[in-house]
PDB file of all heavy atoms in Angstrom:
ATOM      1  N   PHE C 303       3.290   7.914  14.581  1.00  0.00           N
ATOM      2  CA  PHE C 303       2.112   8.393  15.290  1.00  0.00           C
ATOM      3  C   PHE C 303       2.451   9.169  16.564  1.00  0.00           C
ATOM      4  O   PHE C 303       1.588   9.825  17.136  1.00  0.00           O
ATOM      5  CB  PHE C 303       1.177   7.222  15.617  1.00  0.00           C
ATOM      6  CG  PHE C 303       0.409   6.745  14.416  1.00  0.00           C
ATOM      7  CD1 PHE C 303       0.711   5.524  13.836  1.00  0.00           C
ATOM      8  CD2 PHE C 303      -0.576   7.519  13.841  1.00  0.00           C
ATOM      9  CE1 PHE C 303       0.022   5.078  12.715  1.00  0.00           C
ATOM     10  CE2 PHE C 303      -1.264   7.092  12.713  1.00  0.00           C
ATOM     11  CZ  PHE C 303      -0.972   5.873  12.147  1.00  0.00           C
ATOM     12  N   THR C 304       3.706   9.095  17.015  1.00  0.00           N
ATOM     13  CA  THR C 304       4.082   9.854  18.202  1.00  0.00           C
ATOM     14  C   THR C 304       4.835  11.131  17.851  1.00  0.00           C
ATOM     15  O   THR C 304       5.037  11.984  18.709  1.00  0.00           O
ATOM     16  CB  THR C 304       4.969   9.014  19.149  1.00  0.00           C
ATOM     17  OG1 THR C 304       6.115   8.530  18.423  1.00  0.00           O
ATOM     18  CG2 THR C 304       4.190   7.833  19.696  1.00  0.00           C
ATOM     19  N   ALA C 305       5.226  11.267  16.577  1.00  0.00           N
ATOM     20  CA  ALA C 305       5.962  12.462  16.158  1.00  0.00           C
ATOM     21  C   ALA C 305       4.985  13.526  15.680  1.00  0.00           C
ATOM     22  O   ALA C 305       3.915  13.226  15.164  1.00  0.00           O
ATOM     23  CB  ALA C 305       6.932  12.113  15.029  1.00  0.00           C
ATOM     24  N   PRO C 306       5.343  14.819  15.865  1.00  0.00           N
ATOM     25  CA  PRO C 306       4.496  15.891  15.336  1.00  0.00           C
ATOM     26  C   PRO C 306       4.495  15.868  13.820  1.00  0.00           C
ATOM     27  O   PRO C 306       5.480  15.439  13.202  1.00  0.00           O
ATOM     28  CB  PRO C 306       5.169  17.164  15.865  1.00  0.00           C
ATOM     29  CG  PRO C 306       6.578  16.770  16.111  1.00  0.00           C
ATOM     30  CD  PRO C 306       6.539  15.328  16.542  1.00  0.00           C
ATOM     31  N   PRO C 307       3.418  16.299  13.177  1.00  0.00           N
ATOM     32  CA  PRO C 307       3.354  16.280  11.712  1.00  0.00           C
ATOM     33  C   PRO C 307       4.437  17.156  11.094  1.00  0.00           C
ATOM     34  O   PRO C 307       4.737  18.236  11.594  1.00  0.00           O
ATOM     35  CB  PRO C 307       1.951  16.851  11.407  1.00  0.00           C
ATOM     36  CG  PRO C 307       1.181  16.677  12.670  1.00  0.00           C
ATOM     37  CD  PRO C 307       2.177  16.788  13.779  1.00  0.00           C
ATOM     38  N   THR C 308       5.029  16.679  10.013  1.00  0.00           N
ATOM     39  CA  THR C 308       6.001  17.452   9.247  1.00  0.00           C
ATOM     40  C   THR C 308       5.698  17.277   7.777  1.00  0.00           C
ATOM     41  O   THR C 308       4.834  16.473   7.400  1.00  0.00           O
ATOM     42  CB  THR C 308       7.433  16.968   9.512  1.00  0.00           C
ATOM     43  OG1 THR C 308       7.585  15.638   8.956  1.00  0.00           O
ATOM     44  CG2 THR C 308       7.746  16.931  11.001  1.00  0.00           C
ATOM     45  N   GLU C 309       6.416  17.983   6.932  1.00  0.00           N
ATOM     46  CA  GLU C 309       6.211  17.823   5.490  1.00  0.00           C
ATOM     47  C   GLU C 309       6.479  16.390   5.065  1.00  0.00           C
ATOM     48  O   GLU C 309       5.849  15.869   4.158  1.00  0.00           O
ATOM     49  CB  GLU C 309       7.131  18.765   4.716  1.00  0.00           C
ATOM     50  CG  GLU C 309       6.641  20.194   4.665  1.00  0.00           C
ATOM     51  CD  GLU C 309       7.359  20.994   3.594  1.00  0.00           C
ATOM     52  OE1 GLU C 309       7.876  20.378   2.647  1.00  0.00           O
ATOM     53  OE2 GLU C 309       7.395  22.213   3.712  1.00  0.00           O
ATOM     54  N   ASP C 310       7.445  15.738   5.714  1.00  0.00           N
ATOM     55  CA  ASP C 310       7.815  14.385   5.310  1.00  0.00           C
ATOM     56  C   ASP C 310       6.757  13.360   5.705  1.00  0.00           C
ATOM     57  O   ASP C 310       6.633  12.308   5.085  1.00  0.00           O
ATOM     58  CB  ASP C 310       9.160  13.991   5.934  1.00  0.00           C
ATOM     59  CG  ASP C 310      10.307  14.795   5.356  1.00  0.00           C
ATOM     60  OD1 ASP C 310      10.168  15.258   4.205  1.00  0.00           O
ATOM     61  OD2 ASP C 310      11.309  14.975   6.057  1.00  0.00           O
ATOM     62  N   THR C 311       6.014  13.621   6.798  1.00  0.00           N
ATOM     63  CA  THR C 311       5.049  12.625   7.265  1.00  0.00           C
ATOM     64  C   THR C 311       3.619  12.975   6.901  1.00  0.00           C
ATOM     65  O   THR C 311       2.729  12.171   7.090  1.00  0.00           O
ATOM     66  CB  THR C 311       5.153  12.455   8.791  1.00  0.00           C
ATOM     67  OG1 THR C 311       4.913  13.716   9.421  1.00  0.00           O
ATOM     68  CG2 THR C 311       6.513  11.928   9.195  1.00  0.00           C
ATOM     69  N   ALA C 312       3.390  14.197   6.395  1.00  0.00           N
ATOM     70  CA  ALA C 312       2.038  14.576   6.004  1.00  0.00           C
ATOM     71  C   ALA C 312       1.603  13.785   4.772  1.00  0.00           C
ATOM     72  O   ALA C 312       2.381  13.540   3.862  1.00  0.00           O
ATOM     73  CB  ALA C 312       1.989  16.073   5.702  1.00  0.00           C
ATOM     74  N   PHE C 313       0.346  13.379   4.770  1.00  0.00           N
ATOM     75  CA  PHE C 313      -0.255  12.694   3.630  1.00  0.00           C
ATOM     76  C   PHE C 313       0.545  11.477   3.165  1.00  0.00           C
ATOM     77  O   PHE C 313       1.032  11.430   2.023  1.00  0.00           O
ATOM     78  CB  PHE C 313      -0.447  13.669   2.465  1.00  0.00           C
ATOM     79  CG  PHE C 313      -1.116  14.954   2.845  1.00  0.00           C
ATOM     80  CD1 PHE C 313      -0.481  16.173   2.663  1.00  0.00           C
ATOM     81  CD2 PHE C 313      -2.379  14.945   3.424  1.00  0.00           C
ATOM     82  CE1 PHE C 313      -1.090  17.363   3.033  1.00  0.00           C
ATOM     83  CE2 PHE C 313      -3.003  16.135   3.791  1.00  0.00           C
ATOM     84  CZ  PHE C 313      -2.357  17.347   3.599  1.00  0.00           C
ATOM     85  N   PRO C 314       0.713  10.473   4.021  1.00  0.00           N
ATOM     86  CA  PRO C 314       1.508   9.299   3.652  1.00  0.00           C
ATOM     87  C   PRO C 314       0.896   8.494   2.515  1.00  0.00           C
ATOM     88  O   PRO C 314       1.578   7.660   1.915  1.00  0.00           O
ATOM     89  CB  PRO C 314       1.544   8.481   4.951  1.00  0.00           C
ATOM     90  CG  PRO C 314       0.338   8.921   5.713  1.00  0.00           C
ATOM     91  CD  PRO C 314       0.191  10.378   5.400  1.00  0.00           C
ATOM     92  N   GLN C 315      -0.385   8.740   2.221  1.00  0.00           N
ATOM     93  CA  GLN C 315      -1.018   8.014   1.114  1.00  0.00           C
ATOM     94  C   GLN C 315      -0.539   8.502  -0.251  1.00  0.00           C
ATOM     95  O   GLN C 315      -0.779   7.846  -1.271  1.00  0.00           O
ATOM     96  CB  GLN C 315      -2.548   8.125   1.204  1.00  0.00           C
ATOM     97  CG  GLN C 315      -3.122   9.528   0.952  1.00  0.00           C
ATOM     98  CD  GLN C 315      -3.210  10.360   2.201  1.00  0.00           C
ATOM     99  OE1 GLN C 315      -2.321  10.335   3.036  1.00  0.00           O
ATOM    100  NE2 GLN C 315      -4.303  11.097   2.339  1.00  0.00           N
TER     101      GLN C 315
END
Side-chain angles (χ1 to χ4, degrees):
F303 284 109
T304 55
T308 68
E309 281 196 23
D310 292 334
T311 58
F313 311 120
Q315 68 271 40

